[in-house]
Amino acid sequence: MSYSTIGIIVLVIVSIWLSGRGSHRSLFQNSILSTSILAISFFLFISLGLYYGFKLKDNIGNIFTKERIKKISDNTPEIGSFDFDGPAVGDGIGGIILSILLWILFSIVLIFLLYFLGVFFWTVILLFTAMLYWIFFRALRLIFKNSRHCKGNLLKSIGIGFFYSLLYISWIYGIIFLVNYLG
């Protein structure tokens, strides 16, 4: 999966670079061009996949299960509210020592807060990864369920490939044209 992603990224970059060497285009024109290249690549991928009978298996399984969520929540300590009124630190050697101790205490509190924020951000990243997996993998799996009906039938593969390409790419064109119209 990662090789195909890298291949698509390289294809889009090289295509836009080669086509734009002699001219300067606007952001709107570059957006239309890159989306069109992606749409054609997606159409060819789907149509050829349906023609050759590709099938996708769900071998990753559930990313989020009740046990995994409970394990993450059990390992994350709770942060209670705390009220901290710093003592008035005076001048002299006592004030310097107290300032150093407060600085060390504050550093320790910051380290724990960074740990909690790290757990939070990794959980959010895992959640977004699961959502993207579900969207892309499930969408492609839905498309390739038709491969048993299209295997060896080029016209039917092209028709279904065109339908799903139009369905999955048209909203991107809509956003590009809407932004160009509003801007």
Side-chain angles (χ1 to χ4, degrees), residues 1 3-5 8 11 37-56 136-137 139-141 143-144 147 157-158 160-162 164-165 168:
M1 185 69 164
Y3 294 126
S4 63
T5 304
I8 289 171
L11 173 73
I37 292 169
L38 286 174
I40 291 168
S41 302
F42 187 67
F43 167 72
L44 289 174
F45 172 73
I46 289 175
S47 298
L48 292 174
L50 288 170
Y51 180 74
Y52 289 115
F54 286 176
K55 294 179 183 176
L56 294 176
F136 291 121
F137 184 78
L140 287 176
R141 193 166 174 209
I143 293 169
F144 288 132
S147 65
S157 299
I158 289 174
I160 291 177
F162 180 76
Y164 279 111
S165 296
Y168 289 146

Side-chain angles (χ1 to χ4, degrees), residues 111-164:
I111 289 171
F112 281 115
L113 285 176
L114 285 175
Y115 169 74
F116 292 125
L117 289 175
V119 169
F120 170 74
F121 285 125
W122 278 113
T123 304
V124 169
I125 288 171
L126 184 63
L127 179 68
F128 280 132
T129 303
M131 288 186 325
L132 288 174
Y133 157 76
W134 188 84
I135 290 170
F136 291 121
F137 184 78
R138 297 294 178 177
L140 287 176
R141 193 166 174 209
L142 177 70
I143 293 169
F144 288 132
K145 279 187 177 181
N146 297 315
S147 65
R148 60 187 158 109
H149 302 296
C150 299
K151 188 174 183 178
N153 187 346
L154 185 62
L155 188 61
K156 195 170 193 176
S157 299
I158 289 174
I160 291 177
F162 180 76
F163 171 73
Y164 279 111

Side-chain angles (χ1 to χ4, degrees), residues 20-102:
R21 286 182 68 188
S23 64
H24 296 284
R25 289 187 295 270
S26 67
L27 179 63
F28 173 73
Q29 290 171 335
N30 280 334
S31 299
I32 292 294
L33 181 64
S34 61
T35 304
S36 298
I37 292 169
L38 286 174
I40 291 168
S41 302
F42 187 67
F43 167 72
L44 289 174
F45 172 73
I46 289 175
S47 298
L48 292 174
L50 288 170
Y51 180 74
Y52 289 115
F54 286 176
K55 294 179 183 176
L56 294 176
K57 289 186 178 182
D58 188 4
N59 57 1
I60 294 177
N62 291 332
I63 294 175
F64 281 120
T65 60
K66 288 183 180 179
E67 292 82 22
R68 285 188 185 177
I69 293 173
K70 183 160 176 56
K71 184 179 177 184
I72 290 172
S73 66
D74 287 345
N75 290 337
T76 307
E78 292 184 24
I79 301 175
S81 64
F82 59 92
D83 294 325
F84 180 70
D85 292 329
V89 179
D91 293 330
I93 191 75
I96 293 173
I97 293 173
L98 190 58
S99 295
I100 292 172
L101 290 175
L102 287 175

